[in-house]
């Protein structure tokens, strides 16, 4: 039995298989419509979510399976003091696979240790968000045709943004990737990440102004300032509108630069940019369903049969 805690839990070859499967699901959804019939996904979300939870639920439903769960710690027994370890033991009796989001770093890992069903980390505090990374990689692979040889700018809250941490971890395994980290001083990427990049000899630069590096980027990964991880409101208010990507700034970008964003967006991309053909963030959310369908099939070890049926 396998869990997914970090994008590195899969080899590059395994990721390729998941992306190929996601591509097949996109082209032939009918082949997979009953693949998970009789299976149950539990979504245990101790933190708010729209995309991640609903795309997991949509994925399982589109595979013919069913979904149970909670979307708020207050409506679960966590509010009575139950531990994550106890909760997952119970969920293991009710479901075949579990997606868990938790504000504490490492909580899904603690759950995985006690679980008898696969556990997927759907975001743990400011740490990791591996299924967003699968979504990001599939989007890049589908729209750019490759996962190597590009310059990616990551902009915004690089300190608390777990999607950023997971994406960097995953991208270092591909050749020819150059990172440009664009953030205010207070929201720089953590040292453990830059130390890892130095150790591996992977080129990166840290800058404050987006305009300065825009013309060099093949991909721009925008992020929201993570309000819920700040210790005081004042700092958040000071930093929240540090970056606003607008039409004017987009004039500096390459014609085929892609803009990605895990969403939700607050103010960091103005709505006028949505009409720009380089804006890929809504498409990205669609890829999130295909890749989660492929992930569920992979972790449940369900293989589609050649004639379109499925087997466990
Ligand atoms: C992200 C998250 O929860 O980390 N959202 C998502 O899952 N798409 C990004 C964010 O909340 O800023």
């Amino acid at each position: 039995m396998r869990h997914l805690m970090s994008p590195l839990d899969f080899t590059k070859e395994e990721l390729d298989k998941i992306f190929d499967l996601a591509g097949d699901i996109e082209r032939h959804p009918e082949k997979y419509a009953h693949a998970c019939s009789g299976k149950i996904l539990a979504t245990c979300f101790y933190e708010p979510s729209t995309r991640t939870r609903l795309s997991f639920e949509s994925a399982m439903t589109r595979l013919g399976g069913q979904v149970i769960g909670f979307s708020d710690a207050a409506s679960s027994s966590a509010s009575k003091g139950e531990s994550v370890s106890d909760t997952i033991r119970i969920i293991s009796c009710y479901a075949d696979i579990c997606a868990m989001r938790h504000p504490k770093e490492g909580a899904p890992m603690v759950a995985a240790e006690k679980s008898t069903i696969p556990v997927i980390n759907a975001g743990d505090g400011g740490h990791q968000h591996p299924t967003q990374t699968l979504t990001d990689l599939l989007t890049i692979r589908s729209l750019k045709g490759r996962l190597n040889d590009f310059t990616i700018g990551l902009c915004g809250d690089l300190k608390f943004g777990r999607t950023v941490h997971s994406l960097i971890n995953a991208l270092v395994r591909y050749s020819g990737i150059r990172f440009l980290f664009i953030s205010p001083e207070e929201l720089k990427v953590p040292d453990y990440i830059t130390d890892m990049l130095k150790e591996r000899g992977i080129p990166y630069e840290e800058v404050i102004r987006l305009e300065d590096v825009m013309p060099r980027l093949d991909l721009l990964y925008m992020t929201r300032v993570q309000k819920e991880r700040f210790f005081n409101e004042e700092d958040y208010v000071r930093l929240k509108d540090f970056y606003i990507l607008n039409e004017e700034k987009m004039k500096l970008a390459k014609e085929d630069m892609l803009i990605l964003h895990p969403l939700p967006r607050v103010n960091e991309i103005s709505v006028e940019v949505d009409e720009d053909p380089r804006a890929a963030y809504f498409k990205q959310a669609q890829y999130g369903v295909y890749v989660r369908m492929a992930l569920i099939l992979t972790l449940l070890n369900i293989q589609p049969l050649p004639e379109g049926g499925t087997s466990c």
Side-chain angles (χ1 to χ4, degrees):
M1 189 185 59
R2 292 183 75 169
H3 306 287
L4 176 66
M5 292 296 124
S6 141
L8 301 181
D9 292 350
F10 288 117
T11 64
K12 275 171 67 180
E13 292 68 31
E14 286 173 324
L15 284 182
D16 272 334
K17 278 199 188 146
I18 292 176
F19 299 146
D20 290 343
L21 180 55
D24 198 55
I25 292 169
E26 179 183 4
R27 287 186 299 276
H28 308 288
E30 68 292 344
K31 254 169 77 179
Y32 300 87
H34 306 290
C36 282
S37 143
K39 301 284 181 196
I40 298 176
L41 164 78
T43 53
C44 300
F45 277 56
Y46 296 83
E47 248 195 0
S49 169
T50 299
R51 263 149 302 273
T52 306
R53 187 172 61 83
L54 294 184
S55 66
F56 263 117
E57 298 193 357
S58 171
M60 192 48 151
T61 308
R62 286 174 190 276
L63 290 167
Q66 285 176 300
V67 179
I68 57 172
F70 54 85
S71 56
D72 176 9
S75 67
S76 80
S77 285
S79 63
K80 302 180 190 168
E82 186 172 55
S83 68
V84 162
S85 304
D86 280 2
T87 302
I88 195 67
R89 286 184 183 201
I90 305 307
I91 299 291
S92 296
C93 308
Y94 301 160
D96 301 287
I97 185 164
C98 171
M100 179 179 285
R101 168 169 290 189
H102 203 285
K104 282 209 183 106
E105 283 84 357
M109 176 76 97
V110 171
E113 278 162 15
K114 291 285 189 290
S115 179
T116 56
I117 59 172
V119 177
I120 300 165
N121 177 3
D124 62 328
H127 185 218
Q128 295 270 342
H129 192 344
T131 62
Q132 182 63 46
T133 298
L134 299 189
T135 303
D136 302 340
L137 295 180
L138 176 63
T139 308
I140 298 169
R141 197 181 92 142
S142 303
L143 302 182
K144 279 269 177 222
R146 62 180 198 279
L147 280 170
N148 51 291
D149 296 307
F150 55 73
T151 299
I152 179 166
L154 295 115
C155 177
D157 187 346
L158 310 187
K159 178 178 179 184
F160 297 118
R162 56 193 172 197
T163 63
V164 166
H165 306 156
S166 281
L167 183 58
I168 298 169
N169 266 335
L171 282 176
V172 296
R173 298 195 291 185
Y174 298 90
S175 61
I177 307 291
R178 293 161 299 276
F179 292 101
L180 282 165
F181 299 136
I182 307 145
S183 74
E185 194 60 35
E186 295 92 329
L187 298 178
K188 276 167 72 170
V189 81
D191 288 346
Y192 78 88
I193 292 186
T194 46
D195 288 347
M196 178 271 290
L197 295 175
K198 278 182 214 149
E199 225 165 81
R200 299 176 70 127
I202 293 165
Y204 73 91
E205 288 169 51
E206 295 181 284
V207 299
I208 294 177
R209 273 170 51 89
L210 175 58
E211 294 87 324
D212 292 347
V213 292
M214 196 75 158
R216 292 164 56 194
L217 304 179
D218 301 305
L219 291 165
L220 173 58
Y221 194 91
M222 293 296 293
T223 62
R224 132 188 109 86
V225 175
Q226 306 278 299
K227 181 179 185 191
E228 64 277 34
R229 316 237 181 267
F230 275 68
F231 297 110
N232 73 68
E233 175 85 16
E234 238 171 75
D235 286 347
Y236 170 70
V237 170
R238 187 166 47 81
L239 294 167
K240 72 182 172 66
D241 292 328
F242 203 91
Y243 299 105
I244 299 181
L245 182 63
N246 55 17
E247 272 177 339
E248 204 48 39
K249 290 190 188 117
M250 282 306 293
K251 288 187 188 144
L252 302 169
K254 288 185 185 169
E255 259 172 41
D256 62 348
M257 185 196 81
L258 287 183
I259 312 164
L260 301 178
H261 191 312
L263 303 177
R265 139 183 70 190
V266 187
N267 278 332
E268 59 281 356
I269 304 180
S270 39
V271 288
E272 66 199 26
V273 176
D274 297 355
E275 301 314 315
D276 191 305
R278 294 167 288 188
Y281 30 92
F282 292 119
K283 239 182 242 166
Q284 192 179 349
Q286 176 70 64
Y287 284 119
V289 179
Y290 303 134
V291 91
R292 289 185 174 98
M293 288 170 79
L295 176 67
I296 291 170
L297 290 173
T298 304
L299 292 179
L300 289 178
N301 218 359
I302 295 174
Q303 323 275 343
L305 294 171
E307 66 272 22
T310 51
S311 77
C312 292

